[in-house]
Amino acid sequence: MFGINKRNKVKYIIILGIMVLSCVMIPNKVVFAGDINSNEAGLIAAASGTFEYDGKTYRAGSAYINSLTAYLSGDDVDLTAEQCQSAMSQMYGSVAEGVERGYLYEVGGEQQSSDSSSPSSAYSDDEGDDASGKTDKKADEKPDSTSNNNSDTLDSDPKTSSEDLNVWDSMSNQTEAKNKLQNRPEQEDANASVKLEDGDIVVTTKDNETISLSKKEQLIPDKVIYLIDMIAVIVLAVTLICAVILLMTKCMVFIKPKSRRARPGHTRRRKIRRYTRNIMTITTAISFIVIFLMAGLYISVFNKNTIMQNMQSSGYFRYAYSEYISEKAQEFKDTNSILGEILSYDDFLFNVKQNSIKILDGETDVRIPESNVSPYITNVKKSYMKAFSIGGILFIINAIIGIIFMIFMDQKRERGVKHTAFADLIASALVVAVTIYMAFVKPYLHLYIEPDYLYLFIMECILWSVKVMTSISAFAVVLAMLLIGIYNSMRNRSDS
C-alpha cells in the first residue's frame, strides 16, 4: 500500500512540474474583455491615437473605433501579435486612405493630441485613476502593441480576413450613428465649433472668440442670473403697483353686491381698471413666457432617464469603455502586468451608469470618466436652480397675482378670464415661434462638434428639447382655447 502511495506521489509531482513548466514557457497573452486579447487591444489603442498626414493631425471618429472594436470582438477573430503588427503598419502607411474615406477628422496641431477625447485620458486625475501614457503616433513611426477596447452593436464584416486585416475596411460598416454624423458640417463651414478639450467644453465662433464651459465653475454668469432676477423684480413691482392702485381706489370686487346700481366714481374706476388690466395682461404674459421656457428647459435637459438614454444612443458608454481598456493596455505595456481586475463591458456599463446618476443627483465625490457629460449637466442645473430660486419664483408669484386681480377687479369675472387667455396666447405664440424655428430652420445643424459621441449626444438632446417645447406649446395653446371657451360661456350666462 505504501509503495502505491509513493508511486502516486511521484506521478502527481511529475504532472505538477509539467504544468508549471508549461505556464512558464507559454507566451503571456492577456485577454482584456469581450474576447479581445492584448494584441487586438493594442491595435485598437493605436487606431484611437492621432495620425499626421500632409502636415496636419487627424484622429479617428469614435463611431469608427467602435466598428473596429466590434469586428475584433467577433468570436471568429483572434489576432496574433504578428497580425496586429502587420495591420498597424498597413494603417500607418495608408493614413491618406483613412482621411479620404472620412474615418479620420482633423484635430489641428500636434499639441491637440492630448485632448480629453484621447483614450489615454479616460479619468480625471482628481478621481484617483491610474491612467498612464499616450497612444498617439505619427504615420511614419513603428507601432507598438498596446491595448484598448470598446464595443458596438455592429456586425463584423465577414469579408474581412483576420489573416490580412485592413483597419479602414473594418471601420466601414454603416450604422445609424454614422448616418447621423453625415449631417455634421465641415469645421470651416460651421458657424461655431464645440470641442471637448482638457476637461472643458470649448466653443469657438467664426470670429475666433472662445467660450470655455467648465464642469466645476459656474456656467451661467452671475450677471445673466442678476438680469433675470432684475426683470422678475421689475415685472412683479409693476404688477404690485397696479394691485395697490386697484385696492386704494376700491376697484376690487371680491364679493358681488346684491345691488347692481353704480357707485359714485364708477367712470373713473372703469378707466383705472382698463389701464391696469392691460398692464397686468402684459406682465402676466411675460411671466407665462418665462414659466413655459423654464419648464421646457428643466424637462428637456435635466430629466435623468432622458440623459442616460441619450448617452446610450450616442455610443458614449462604449467609447468610455474603450478609454478604460486603453488605460489598462498602457499599464500592461509599461509594467507587463495589470493592477486589479479588468471589468467586463457589462460591469463597466453598470458602474458608469450608476456613477452618472449619482452625479446627476448632485453627488461630487464620484469617480467618473473625464469624457462624461454628467458633471456639465449638473453644473448647468446648479445655475438653473440659482436663477429659478429667485427669478423663477417671482415670475410664478407675478402670474398668480395678475390672474387674481384681473378676475376680481370688477363684477364681470369673464373680463379677467379673457385677458388671462390673451396673456396665455401671447406667451404661447412666442413659444410656438421658437419651436417652429428650431424644428424647421435647425440652426444647431451648423455646429461642428467633436468627438463623435458628443455631437450625437447634443443632437439627441436638442431633438428631445424640440419635442418637449412642442408639447408645451400645444399645452399653452390648448389652455388658451380652454380659457376662451370659459370666457364665452361666462359671457353668455351673464347676458341671459
Side-chain angles (χ1 to χ4, degrees):
M1 182 68 68
F2 177 79
I4 294 175
N5 290 337
K6 186 175 182 180
R7 284 197 299 271
N8 288 339
K9 281 186 178 181
V10 174
K11 181 173 65 175
Y12 293 150
I13 291 174
I14 293 174
I15 293 174
L16 181 60
I18 293 174
M19 292 175 63
V20 173
L21 185 61
S22 299
C23 291
V24 173
M25 295 182 64
I26 293 175
N28 187 10
K29 183 178 181 180
V30 178
V31 176
F32 279 76
D35 295 329
I36 290 181
N37 60 47
S38 58
N39 303 318
E40 296 164 345
L43 178 59
I44 297 172
S48 302
T50 56
F51 304 84
E52 287 191 3
Y53 172 70
D54 198 21
K56 299 178 180 179
T57 304
Y58 294 87
R59 185 185 299 280
S62 59
Y64 298 100
I65 296 297
N66 288 350
S67 295
L68 173 63
T69 307
Y71 168 75
L72 296 177
S73 299
D75 295 335
D76 57 343
V77 178
D78 187 22
L79 302 185
T80 65
E82 290 76 13
Q83 290 171 328
C84 288
Q85 190 78 12
S86 175
M88 278 190 273
S89 297
Q90 183 272 338
M91 176 180 67
Y92 287 119
S94 58
V95 176
E97 180 183 354
V99 174
E100 181 180 357
R101 295 170 69 169
Y103 306 148
L104 300 176
Y105 64 90
E106 185 181 353
V107 295
E110 186 175 357
Q111 295 298 323
Q112 287 184 278
S113 64
S114 61
D115 68 9
S116 58
S117 64
S118 172
S120 60
S121 57
Y123 293 89
S124 60
D125 294 337
D126 58 352
E127 289 164 341
D129 191 76
D130 55 354
S132 50
K134 310 290 181 186
T135 60
D136 301 338
K137 289 186 177 295
K138 297 181 180 179
D140 57 350
E141 289 181 348
K142 288 289 185 180
D144 295 323
S145 294
T146 55
S147 296
N148 189 6
N149 193 10
N150 190 8
S151 59
D152 204 345
T153 57
L154 306 171
D155 296 327
S156 58
D157 187 355
K159 296 181 182 181
T160 305
S161 170
S162 60
E163 296 295 331
D164 187 20
L165 173 65
N166 185 303
V167 174
W168 309 128
D169 286 343
S170 66
M171 291 183 177
S172 64
N173 292 336
Q174 199 69 6
T175 65
E176 183 180 357
K178 293 176 185 176
N179 291 333
K180 292 179 180 178
L181 286 170
Q182 293 177 358
N183 295 324
R184 180 171 57 183
E186 297 295 333
Q187 185 171 357
E188 57 270 16
D189 299 330
N191 293 335
S193 66
V194 181
K195 298 181 181 181
L196 189 61
E197 298 178 356
D198 299 327
D200 291 340
I201 295 179
V202 179
V203 181
T204 306
T205 65
K206 272 192 171 182
D207 299 330
N208 290 326
E209 296 181 1
T210 60
I211 303 173
S212 183
L213 306 178
S214 172
K215 64 178 67 175
K216 297 180 181 179
E217 299 177 1
Q218 182 174 309
L219 293 182
I220 301 179
D222 284 332
K223 60 181 180 181
V224 175
I225 296 177
Y226 294 153
L227 178 62
I228 296 174
D229 295 344
M230 186 179 300
I231 294 174
V233 169
I234 293 174
V235 171
L236 180 59
V238 172
T239 300
L240 290 177
I241 291 173
C242 292
V244 170
I245 293 174
L246 290 170
L247 290 171
M248 293 182 64
T249 56
K250 298 181 180 180
C251 292
M252 298 302 298
V253 183
F254 293 102
I255 300 177
K256 291 184 179 181
K258 295 181 180 180
S259 175
R260 299 179 63 89
R261 186 174 58 182
R263 294 177 297 163
H266 173 70
T267 302
R268 182 175 64 89
R269 286 195 299 271
R270 185 169 58 185
K271 290 182 180 180
I272 293 174
R273 285 168 176 153
R274 183 171 65 250
Y275 291 133
T276 54
R277 184 181 277 123
N278 290 337
I279 294 174
M280 283 186 168
T281 301
I282 296 174
T283 58
T284 304
I286 295 173
S287 297
F288 280 156
I289 292 172
V290 176
I291 291 171
F292 290 151
L293 292 178
M294 279 193 158
L297 177 63
Y298 188 88
I299 296 172
S300 59
V301 177
F302 306 130
N303 183 281
K304 288 187 293 186
N305 292 333
T306 302
I307 293 171
M308 300 305 294
Q309 182 178 349
N310 290 343
M311 290 174 68
Q312 181 80 41
S313 59
S314 69
Y316 166 71
F317 293 117
R318 301 185 184 279
Y319 173 81
Y321 188 65
S322 176
E323 293 181 304
Y324 166 74
I325 291 297
S326 183
E327 290 179 358
K328 293 298 182 182
Q330 188 65 39
E331 181 184 343
F332 179 73
K333 174 188 175 184
D334 295 339
T335 65
N336 201 34
S337 64
I338 298 295
L339 181 62
E341 179 184 3
I342 299 175
L343 298 177
S344 65
Y345 174 70
D346 291 337
D347 291 338
F348 178 86
L349 178 64
F350 177 81
N351 290 340
V352 173
K353 280 188 174 181
Q354 292 300 311
N355 289 342
S356 298
I357 292 175
K358 289 179 181 179
I359 289 180
L360 294 174
D361 286 334
E363 297 186 30
T364 56
D365 189 19
V366 179
R367 184 174 181 269
I368 202 74
E370 186 72 25
S371 56
N372 196 296
V373 296
S374 299
Y376 296 98
I377 297 174
T378 302
N379 207 9
V380 173
K381 187 175 181 179
K382 290 179 181 178
S383 298
Y384 171 90
M385 296 307 298
K386 188 174 180 180
F388 179 80
S389 61
I390 298 178
I393 292 177
L394 291 181
F395 279 117
I396 293 175
I397 293 174
N398 180 79
I400 294 173
I401 294 176
I403 293 172
I404 292 175
F405 274 81
M406 284 192 296
I407 292 176
F408 290 98
M409 69 172 56
D410 60 18
Q411 298 183 38
K412 293 188 176 182
R413 313 298 194 202
E414 63 270 17
R415 292 176 180 172
V417 174
K418 180 180 72 173
H419 280 262
T420 301
F422 284 166
D424 186 22
L425 279 175
I426 294 172
S428 60
L430 180 61
V431 174
V432 168
V434 172
T435 304
I436 291 176
Y437 177 78
M438 293 295 294
F440 292 97
V441 180
K442 300 179 179 179
Y444 52 86
L445 292 182
H446 300 289
L447 296 176
Y448 176 83
I449 305 172
E450 64 178 47
D452 294 349
Y453 78 86
L454 183 62
Y455 172 82
L456 296 172
F457 176 80
I458 292 178
M459 291 300 107
E460 290 291 337
C461 289
I462 292 176
L463 292 176
W464 169 247
S465 299
V466 171
K467 292 180 182 178
V468 170
M469 293 308 300
T470 301
S471 300
I472 291 179
S473 301
F475 168 79
V477 172
V478 170
L479 178 60
M481 295 299 103
L482 178 62
L483 290 173
I484 292 175
I486 294 174
Y487 160 73
N488 291 327
S489 177
M490 294 176 66
R491 187 184 61 178
N492 292 336
R493 188 166 57 248
S494 176
D495 294 339
S496 60

